[in-house]
Amino acid sequence: MAYTHTIGSQRHVFGDLRTLLAKASPARSGDALAGIAAASEQERMAARLALADVPLDRFLDEALVPYEEDEVTRLIVDRHDASAFAAIAATTVGDLRNWLLRHETDTATLARVAPGVTPEIAAAVSKLMRNQDLVAVARKCQVVTRFRDTVGLPGRLAVRLQPNHPTDDPKGIAASVIDGLLYGCGDATIGVNPASDNLGAIVSLLHMLDALRSRFDIPTQTCVLTHVTNTLRAIAQRAPVDLVFQSVAGSERANTAFGISLALLAEAHDAARGLARGTVGDNVMYFETGQGSALSANAHHGVDQQTMEARAYAVARAFSPLLVNTVVGFIGPEYLYDGKQIIRAGLEDHFCGKLMGVPMGCDVCYTNHAEADQDDMDTLLTLFGVAGINFIMGVPGADDIMLNYQSTSFHDALYLREVLGLRPAPEFEQWLQRMGIADGAGRLLEPSGRLPLLQMAHSL
């Protein structure tokens, strides 16, 4: 079905919904690389005006990626909650934007509707929204998850402590972990990206992290961010696995490039649940995503990269994860060229995920060859704090020495908590107080007050 809109004397025609969504997207280098971006700002505006008039039920009838050849599409269609969708079924994309921004559309209402929101609907409405709209609506969406502590409560900001090391040296990793804990970071997870895929090294890291967590009785979860097949092998060896990590994408072909399928993720989910290591909940999955991953695998089916990213959240949603984060600027300027594109993409991702009921965080990051700097990351970080993001990254010095990219530091997390009055996860905050790291108001104590942890750290 074709979609049209006339501006002045020029009539713009968009051959199908896939084309319409791509042309309506804010400018970004990845869509230009794929040859699907709007040719002019006038065409982009015409596409947005045409998109605003599209009924929401059209997205249930016109698949962007064919049902017969894509298991992600089948997941989206087969698990769509028609009863939840009923509240918005009679509206258009433009009507949905207005409804989302209404004061009366509150947190409870958005939670009820979330199972009925398809990724394509979330992506479509985001294309009609300004940055402040994305912040305002995402702030109303609350997605709370639990394992050993509780992530996503209002007024809280969790941090994934990311103590990567270029040679997976256990002492170097442990030193970074202690450093992050002393700054109040680590409540989302203590998660290491291993430099090696060697199973023995991965199992050793799992044991080391679990021993450290157990020794200090830290109410958090640990994770080694290796491929899901390695985690399954580690579970078979009775390694102490808390969370199963995997990068996921929005099409079957892209996930195949990652070496995964929905069946494999289900197997890992069941295996981790079977360990029953959680104390306050059983959300055991940790997924990472990022705009451009499907395009980089030549698996985007002509769909714009932001819509493909939203489809990855449907994959995540199916497995009730503890954590999902978009590694927003990690792939590079070929997909998000500069700070402006990274900021916009991050806000889109957070909005779409939260609207779909996914517990979203973000690695606020960029590569060294992107037209971006730490000031851009400060802007996005602050916007995320206002928007109610579940968690961010805590990297020593904001410079990951193993992955070679720029992220956010322990100090950045302190800044965001301080200026917005945000606090760590409640169970973790109580531990910080017991250890003499923070006071009853969640503020860090002077270094002399952190002696218990420092003294124990010296014996590691």
Side-chain angles (χ1 to χ4, degrees):
M1 175 178 178
Y3 302 84
T4 65
H5 192 85
T6 301
I7 295 180
S9 61
Q10 186 169 358
R11 183 170 181 261
H12 296 268
V13 180
F14 309 97
D16 52 26
L17 196 53
R18 181 192 299 116
T19 302
L20 180 65
L21 287 167
K23 302 297 186 183
S25 292
R28 63 204 56 197
S29 52
D31 290 341
L33 180 66
I36 60 175
S40 67
E41 288 303 317
Q42 185 185 77
E43 184 182 31
R44 180 171 290 112
M45 184 53 66
R48 289 175 179 170
L49 291 168
L51 180 60
D53 291 333
V54 175
L56 295 188
D57 58 10
R58 185 71 51 76
F59 292 90
L60 305 181
D61 299 329
E62 188 175 339
L64 305 186
V65 182
Y67 181 95
E68 296 76 15
E69 63 184 67
D70 187 84
E71 67 173 0
V72 176
T73 299
R74 293 193 291 274
L75 173 73
I76 293 166
V77 173
D78 295 347
R79 295 201 184 184
H80 183 245
D81 190 326
S83 61
F85 180 67
I88 57 174
T91 63
T92 65
V93 178
D95 293 334
L96 177 61
R97 173 192 176 274
N98 296 336
W99 180 79
L100 291 171
L101 289 166
R102 289 181 62 189
H103 176 72
E104 295 80 5
T105 305
D106 58 12
T107 298
T109 301
L110 291 168
R112 288 194 297 270
V113 170
V117 177
T118 70
E120 291 83 0
I121 289 173
V125 73
S126 77
K127 298 177 193 300
L128 305 185
M129 301 175 85
R130 293 170 57 185
N131 285 0
Q132 67 172 253
D133 298 337
L134 298 174
V135 170
V137 176
R139 185 175 178 83
K140 295 193 289 185
C141 299
Q142 293 173 11
V143 185
V144 179
T145 55
R146 296 174 174 87
F147 189 77
R148 287 197 189 92
D149 62 358
T150 306
V151 179
L153 291 169
R156 305 280 176 170
L157 172 71
V159 183
R160 172 194 157 192
L161 204 170
Q162 184 171 306
N164 296 343
H165 192 280
T167 63
D168 289 340
D169 177 64
K171 289 185 177 180
I173 291 171
S176 291
V177 171
I178 296 298
D179 188 24
L181 291 171
L182 289 171
Y183 281 101
C185 298
D187 44 348
T189 186
I190 301 172
V192 178
N193 297 90
S196 166
D197 283 332
N198 179 273
L199 183 60
I202 288 163
V203 170
S204 294
L205 285 176
L206 285 165
H207 281 288
M208 184 274 288
L209 292 173
D210 189 61
L212 191 154
R213 181 198 60 78
S214 298
R215 180 168 186 174
F216 298 134
D217 193 25
I218 310 171
T220 189
Q221 34 286 329
T222 62
C223 184
V224 175
L225 282 70
T226 187
H227 193 270
V228 62
T229 52
N230 281 333
T231 303
L232 280 168
R233 295 186 187 104
I235 291 173
Q237 293 188 12
R238 300 188 178 183
V241 172
D242 288 344
L243 303 182
V244 175
F245 167 80
Q246 184 54 49
S247 296
V248 296
S251 74
E252 180 177 348
R253 285 197 335 228
N255 284 324
T256 298
F258 283 146
I260 62 168
S261 65
L262 297 181
L264 180 61
L265 294 177
E267 179 186 354
H269 176 259
D270 292 346
R273 278 271 184 94
L275 298 176
R277 291 175 57 82
T279 55
V280 298
D282 60 358
N283 299 115
V284 297
M285 303 300 280
Y286 175 14
F287 295 119
E288 285 189 347
T289 67
Q291 287 194 28
S293 58
L295 175 57
S296 68
N298 194 27
H300 61 105
H301 297 268
V303 178
D304 68 274
Q305 67 181 37
Q306 188 247 332
T307 302
M308 289 304 296
E309 170 72 3
R311 285 169 56 91
Y313 305 148
V315 175
R317 180 169 62 177
F319 299 99
S320 303
L322 179 77
L323 309 169
V324 177
N325 72 272
T326 167
V327 193
V328 66
F330 183 76
I331 303 182
E334 298 82 4
Y335 305 95
L336 295 170
Y337 178 71
D338 57 13
K340 181 176 182 178
Q341 291 188 11
I342 292 171
I343 290 168
R344 174 68 191 190
L347 295 177
E348 289 170 346
D349 294 350
H350 180 243
F351 163 84
C352 288
K354 283 286 187 67
L355 189 63
M356 293 172 60
V358 175
M360 289 299 297
C362 183
D363 191 343
V364 182
C365 64
Y366 63 102
T367 58
N368 289 316
H369 63 307
E371 291 294 323
D373 57 28
Q374 212 66 34
D375 287 338
D376 295 315
M377 300 306 104
D378 286 349
T379 299
L380 181 54
L381 177 69
T382 305
L383 288 168
F384 274 145
V386 176
I389 199 163
N390 282 26
F391 69 102
I392 60 169
M393 303 298 124
V395 177
D399 184 358
D400 193 299
I401 59 173
M402 193 278 283
L403 293 174
N404 293 310
Y405 77 114
Q406 307 303 309
S407 185
T408 47
S409 69
F410 306 144
H411 303 80
D412 293 330
L414 286 182
Y415 149 75
L416 202 56
R417 285 172 173 168
E418 178 69 24
V419 298
L420 296 177
L422 302 172
R423 300 171 72 157
E427 301 89 347
F428 190 80
E429 182 180 46
Q430 293 168 11
W431 177 82
L432 292 173
Q433 294 166 8
R434 290 197 304 271
M435 296 300 294
I437 297 172
D439 64 17
R443 294 185 296 263
L444 290 188
L445 295 170
E446 292 300 315
S448 59
R450 309 177 210 170
L451 285 177
L453 183 60
L454 285 170
Q455 289 169 347
M456 284 188 280
H458 283 309
S459 65
L460 286 175

Short mmCIF file of all heavy atoms in Angstrom, two decimals, residues 345-389:
data_model
loop_
_atom_site.label_atom_id
_atom_site.label_comp_id
_atom_site.label_asym_id
_atom_site.label_seq_id
_atom_site.Cartn_x
_atom_site.Cartn_y
_atom_site.Cartn_z
N ALA A 345 19.56 9.13 19.08
CA ALA A 345 19.37 7.67 19.05
C ALA A 345 19.21 7.11 20.45
O ALA A 345 18.38 6.23 20.70
CB ALA A 345 20.55 7.01 18.34
N GLY A 346 20.01 7.61 21.40
CA GLY A 346 19.90 7.13 22.76
C GLY A 346 18.53 7.39 23.36
O GLY A 346 17.93 6.52 24.01
N LEU A 347 18.00 8.58 23.14
CA LEU A 347 16.68 8.91 23.66
C LEU A 347 15.58 8.08 22.99
O LEU A 347 14.62 7.66 23.64
CB LEU A 347 16.40 10.40 23.48
CG LEU A 347 17.29 11.36 24.28
CD1 LEU A 347 16.96 12.80 23.94
CD2 LEU A 347 17.19 11.11 25.78
N GLU A 348 15.73 7.85 21.69
CA GLU A 348 14.78 6.98 20.98
C GLU A 348 14.79 5.57 21.57
O GLU A 348 13.72 4.98 21.82
CB GLU A 348 15.14 6.90 19.50
CG GLU A 348 14.90 8.15 18.70
CD GLU A 348 15.51 8.07 17.31
OE1 GLU A 348 16.35 7.17 17.05
OE2 GLU A 348 15.16 8.92 16.47
N ASP A 349 15.97 5.03 21.75
CA ASP A 349 16.09 3.65 22.23
C ASP A 349 15.48 3.50 23.62
O ASP A 349 14.72 2.55 23.88
CB ASP A 349 17.56 3.23 22.26
CG ASP A 349 18.20 3.17 20.88
OD1 ASP A 349 17.45 3.26 19.88
OD2 ASP A 349 19.43 3.04 20.81
N HIS A 350 15.81 4.43 24.50
CA HIS A 350 15.27 4.37 25.86
C HIS A 350 13.74 4.49 25.84
O HIS A 350 13.04 3.71 26.51
CB HIS A 350 15.88 5.49 26.70
CG HIS A 350 15.41 5.52 28.11
ND1 HIS A 350 14.69 6.59 28.63
CD2 HIS A 350 15.52 4.62 29.12
CE1 HIS A 350 14.41 6.34 29.89
NE2 HIS A 350 14.89 5.15 30.22
N PHE A 351 13.23 5.41 25.06
CA PHE A 351 11.78 5.59 24.95
C PHE A 351 11.10 4.34 24.41
O PHE A 351 10.12 3.85 24.99
CB PHE A 351 11.49 6.79 24.04
CG PHE A 351 10.07 6.84 23.53
CD1 PHE A 351 9.06 7.40 24.30
CD2 PHE A 351 9.75 6.33 22.28
CE1 PHE A 351 7.75 7.44 23.83
CE2 PHE A 351 8.45 6.37 21.80
CZ PHE A 351 7.45 6.93 22.58
N CYS A 352 11.60 3.81 23.30
CA CYS A 352 10.95 2.66 22.67
C CYS A 352 10.99 1.44 23.59
O CYS A 352 9.99 0.73 23.74
CB CYS A 352 11.62 2.33 21.34
SG CYS A 352 11.26 3.50 20.02
N GLY A 353 12.13 1.20 24.22
CA GLY A 353 12.23 0.06 25.13
C GLY A 353 11.28 0.18 26.30
O GLY A 353 10.55 -0.77 26.64
N LYS A 354 11.27 1.35 26.93
CA LYS A 354 10.40 1.53 28.11
C LYS A 354 8.93 1.45 27.71
O LYS A 354 8.11 0.88 28.44
CB LYS A 354 10.71 2.88 28.76
CG LYS A 354 11.99 2.91 29.59
CD LYS A 354 11.82 2.18 30.91
CE LYS A 354 13.00 2.34 31.83
NZ LYS A 354 13.17 3.72 32.33
N LEU A 355 8.57 2.01 26.55
CA LEU A 355 7.18 1.96 26.10
C LEU A 355 6.73 0.52 25.89
O LEU A 355 5.55 0.19 26.09
CB LEU A 355 7.02 2.76 24.81
CG LEU A 355 5.60 3.01 24.30
CD1 LEU A 355 4.80 3.84 25.31
CD2 LEU A 355 5.63 3.70 22.94
N MET A 356 7.65 -0.35 25.52
CA MET A 356 7.35 -1.76 25.30
C MET A 356 7.46 -2.59 26.57
O MET A 356 7.24 -3.80 26.54
CB MET A 356 8.29 -2.32 24.23
CG MET A 356 8.08 -1.75 22.84
SD MET A 356 9.36 -2.26 21.69
CE MET A 356 9.18 -4.05 21.71
N GLY A 357 7.83 -1.96 27.69
CA GLY A 357 7.93 -2.69 28.96
C GLY A 357 9.26 -3.35 29.18
O GLY A 357 9.34 -4.34 29.93
N VAL A 358 10.31 -2.82 28.58
CA VAL A 358 11.65 -3.40 28.68
C VAL A 358 12.48 -2.57 29.66
O VAL A 358 12.45 -1.33 29.61
CB VAL A 358 12.33 -3.44 27.29
CG1 VAL A 358 13.77 -3.92 27.39
CG2 VAL A 358 11.54 -4.35 26.36
N PRO A 359 13.26 -3.19 30.56
CA PRO A 359 14.05 -2.47 31.57
C PRO A 359 15.31 -1.86 30.97
O PRO A 359 16.39 -2.45 31.01
CB PRO A 359 14.38 -3.55 32.60
CG PRO A 359 14.43 -4.82 31.81
CD PRO A 359 13.38 -4.66 30.73
N MET A 360 15.20 -0.65 30.45
CA MET A 360 16.27 -0.07 29.64
C MET A 360 17.33 0.69 30.44
O MET A 360 17.01 1.49 31.32
CB MET A 360 15.68 0.89 28.60
CG MET A 360 14.91 0.21 27.49
SD MET A 360 15.88 -0.93 26.49
CE MET A 360 17.09 0.18 25.77
N GLY A 361 18.57 0.43 30.07
CA GLY A 361 19.70 1.24 30.46
C GLY A 361 20.43 1.66 29.20
O GLY A 361 19.99 1.37 28.09
N CYS A 362 21.55 2.34 29.37
CA CYS A 362 22.32 2.75 28.19
C CYS A 362 23.80 2.85 28.54
O CYS A 362 24.17 3.33 29.61
CB CYS A 362 21.84 4.11 27.67
SG CYS A 362 22.69 4.65 26.16
N ASP A 363 24.62 2.37 27.62
CA ASP A 363 26.04 2.66 27.65
C ASP A 363 26.21 3.96 26.88
O ASP A 363 26.17 3.98 25.65
CB ASP A 363 26.83 1.52 27.00
CG ASP A 363 28.32 1.64 27.22
OD1 ASP A 363 28.79 2.75 27.60
OD2 ASP A 363 29.04 0.65 27.03
N VAL A 364 26.32 5.06 27.60
CA VAL A 364 26.44 6.39 27.00
C VAL A 364 27.87 6.51 26.49
O VAL A 364 28.80 6.78 27.24
CB VAL A 364 26.13 7.48 28.04
CG1 VAL A 364 26.20 8.86 27.41
CG2 VAL A 364 24.76 7.23 28.67
N CYS A 365 28.07 6.30 25.18
CA CYS A 365 29.43 6.08 24.71
C CYS A 365 29.64 6.56 23.28
O CYS A 365 28.69 6.86 22.57
CB CYS A 365 29.78 4.59 24.80
SG CYS A 365 28.77 3.53 23.72
N TYR A 366 30.90 6.61 22.89
CA TYR A 366 31.26 6.94 21.52
C TYR A 366 32.64 6.37 21.23
O TYR A 366 33.44 6.11 22.15
CB TYR A 366 31.26 8.46 21.29
CG TYR A 366 32.26 9.24 22.10
CD1 TYR A 366 33.45 9.69 21.53
CD2 TYR A 366 32.03 9.53 23.44
CE1 TYR A 366 34.39 10.41 22.27
CE2 TYR A 366 32.95 10.25 24.19
CZ TYR A 366 34.12 10.69 23.60
OH TYR A 366 35.04 11.39 24.35
N THR A 367 32.92 6.17 19.95
CA THR A 367 34.24 5.71 19.54
C THR A 367 35.13 6.92 19.26
O THR A 367 34.64 8.03 19.02
CB THR A 367 34.15 4.84 18.27
OG1 THR A 367 33.52 5.62 17.23
CG2 THR A 367 33.32 3.59 18.52
N ASN A 368 36.41 6.70 19.27
CA ASN A 368 37.35 7.81 19.17
C ASN A 368 37.35 8.47 17.79
O ASN A 368 37.88 9.58 17.64
CB ASN A 368 38.77 7.34 19.53
CG ASN A 368 38.89 7.06 21.02
OD1 ASN A 368 38.41 7.82 21.85
ND2 ASN A 368 39.53 5.95 21.37
N HIS A 369 36.80 7.80 16.76
CA HIS A 369 36.77 8.42 15.44
C HIS A 369 35.40 9.02 15.11
O HIS A 369 35.17 9.45 13.98
CB HIS A 369 37.20 7.42 14.36
CG HIS A 369 36.31 6.21 14.20
ND1 HIS A 369 35.95 5.39 15.24
CD2 HIS A 369 35.69 5.68 13.11
CE1 HIS A 369 35.19 4.41 14.80
NE2 HIS A 369 35.00 4.57 13.51
N ALA A 370 34.50 9.09 16.08
CA ALA A 370 33.21 9.75 15.88
C ALA A 370 33.34 11.25 16.12
O ALA A 370 34.23 11.70 16.86
CB ALA A 370 32.15 9.16 16.82
N GLU A 371 32.46 12.01 15.51
CA GLU A 371 32.43 13.46 15.74
C GLU A 371 31.63 13.75 17.01
O GLU A 371 30.54 14.30 16.98
CB GLU A 371 31.81 14.17 14.53
CG GLU A 371 32.67 14.12 13.28
CD GLU A 371 33.97 14.91 13.45
OE1 GLU A 371 33.94 15.97 14.10
OE2 GLU A 371 35.00 14.45 12.95
N ALA A 372 32.20 13.31 18.12
CA ALA A 372 31.54 13.46 19.42
C ALA A 372 32.62 13.59 20.48
O ALA A 372 33.79 13.25 20.26
CB ALA A 372 30.65 12.26 19.70
N ASP A 373 32.23 14.09 21.64
CA ASP A 373 33.18 14.19 22.75
C ASP A 373 32.44 14.00 24.07
O ASP A 373 31.23 13.75 24.09
CB ASP A 373 33.93 15.53 22.72
CG ASP A 373 33.02 16.74 22.76
OD1 ASP A 373 31.90 16.64 23.32
OD2 ASP A 373 33.42 17.81 22.25
N GLN A 374 33.17 14.14 25.18
CA GLN A 374 32.57 13.86 26.48
C GLN A 374 31.49 14.87 26.85
O GLN A 374 30.58 14.56 27.62
CB GLN A 374 33.65 13.80 27.56
CG GLN A 374 33.32 12.82 28.69
CD GLN A 374 33.30 11.37 28.23
OE1 GLN A 374 34.06 10.96 27.36
NE2 GLN A 374 32.44 10.57 28.83
N ASP A 375 31.55 16.07 26.30
CA ASP A 375 30.46 17.03 26.54
C ASP A 375 29.14 16.52 25.97
O ASP A 375 28.07 16.70 26.58
CB ASP A 375 30.80 18.39 25.93
CG ASP A 375 31.86 19.15 26.72
OD1 ASP A 375 32.03 18.84 27.92
OD2 ASP A 375 32.52 20.03 26.14
N ASP A 376 29.20 15.89 24.79
CA ASP A 376 27.99 15.29 24.23
C ASP A 376 27.46 14.20 25.15
O ASP A 376 26.24 14.06 25.36
CB ASP A 376 28.28 14.69 22.85
CG ASP A 376 28.65 15.74 21.82
OD1 ASP A 376 27.97 16.78 21.77
OD2 ASP A 376 29.63 15.52 21.08
N MET A 377 28.39 13.41 25.72
CA MET A 377 27.96 12.34 26.61
C MET A 377 27.36 12.91 27.90
O MET A 377 26.40 12.35 28.45
CB MET A 377 29.14 11.41 26.92
CG MET A 377 29.74 10.73 25.69
SD MET A 377 28.55 9.83 24.66
CE MET A 377 28.34 10.98 23.28
N ASP A 378 27.92 14.02 28.39
CA ASP A 378 27.33 14.67 29.57
C ASP A 378 25.89 15.08 29.30
O ASP A 378 25.01 14.94 30.17
CB ASP A 378 28.15 15.91 29.95
CG ASP A 378 29.48 15.57 30.60
OD1 ASP A 378 29.69 14.39 30.94
OD2 ASP A 378 30.30 16.48 30.77
N THR A 379 25.64 15.60 28.10
CA THR A 379 24.29 16.02 27.73
C THR A 379 23.34 14.83 27.72
O THR A 379 22.25 14.87 28.30
CB THR A 379 24.30 16.71 26.36
OG1 THR A 379 25.13 17.86 26.42
CG2 THR A 379 22.89 17.10 25.94
N LEU A 380 23.75 13.75 27.05
CA LEU A 380 22.89 12.57 26.98
C LEU A 380 22.70 11.94 28.35
O LEU A 380 21.59 11.54 28.72
CB LEU A 380 23.48 11.55 25.99
CG LEU A 380 22.68 10.26 25.78
CD1 LEU A 380 21.23 10.56 25.39
CD2 LEU A 380 23.35 9.38 24.74
N LEU A 381 23.77 11.87 29.13
CA LEU A 381 23.69 11.32 30.48
C LEU A 381 22.66 12.07 31.32
O LEU A 381 21.83 11.46 32.00
CB LEU A 381 25.08 11.40 31.14
CG LEU A 381 25.18 10.93 32.59
CD1 LEU A 381 25.00 9.42 32.67
CD2 LEU A 381 26.54 11.34 33.18
N THR A 382 22.71 13.39 31.27
CA THR A 382 21.78 14.20 32.05
C THR A 382 20.34 14.01 31.58
O THR A 382 19.41 13.88 32.39
CB THR A 382 22.18 15.68 31.98
OG1 THR A 382 23.55 15.83 32.38
CG2 THR A 382 21.29 16.53 32.87
N LEU A 383 20.15 13.97 30.26
CA LEU A 383 18.81 13.73 29.72
C LEU A 383 18.28 12.37 30.17
O LEU A 383 17.09 12.22 30.50
CB LEU A 383 18.84 13.81 28.20
CG LEU A 383 19.02 15.21 27.60
CD1 LEU A 383 19.32 15.12 26.11
CD2 LEU A 383 17.77 16.06 27.84
N PHE A 384 19.14 11.36 30.19
CA PHE A 384 18.72 10.04 30.65
C PHE A 384 18.30 10.07 32.11
O PHE A 384 17.33 9.41 32.51
CB PHE A 384 19.85 9.03 30.47
CG PHE A 384 19.91 8.41 29.10
CD1 PHE A 384 21.13 8.10 28.52
CD2 PHE A 384 18.76 8.10 28.40
CE1 PHE A 384 21.20 7.52 27.26
CE2 PHE A 384 18.81 7.51 27.14
CZ PHE A 384 20.05 7.22 26.58
N GLY A 385 19.05 10.80 32.93
CA GLY A 385 18.68 10.89 34.33
C GLY A 385 17.30 11.49 34.51
O GLY A 385 16.48 11.01 35.31
N VAL A 386 17.01 12.54 33.75
CA VAL A 386 15.69 13.16 33.79
C VAL A 386 14.63 12.19 33.28
O VAL A 386 13.51 12.13 33.81
CB VAL A 386 15.68 14.46 32.98
CG1 VAL A 386 14.27 15.07 32.95
CG2 VAL A 386 16.67 15.47 33.56
N ALA A 387 14.98 11.39 32.27
CA ALA A 387 14.03 10.46 31.66
C ALA A 387 13.81 9.20 32.48
O ALA A 387 12.96 8.38 32.13
CB ALA A 387 14.51 10.08 30.25
N GLY A 388 14.54 9.03 33.58
CA GLY A 388 14.31 7.89 34.45
C GLY A 388 14.94 6.60 34.00
O GLY A 388 14.37 5.52 34.17
N ILE A 389 16.13 6.68 33.43
CA ILE A 389 16.81 5.47 32.95
C ILE A 389 17.09 4.52 34.12
O ILE A 389 17.35 4.96 35.25
CB ILE A 389 18.10 5.84 32.20
CG1 ILE A 389 18.55 4.67 31.31
CG2 ILE A 389 19.21 6.27 33.16
CD1 ILE A 389 19.54 5.08 30.25
#
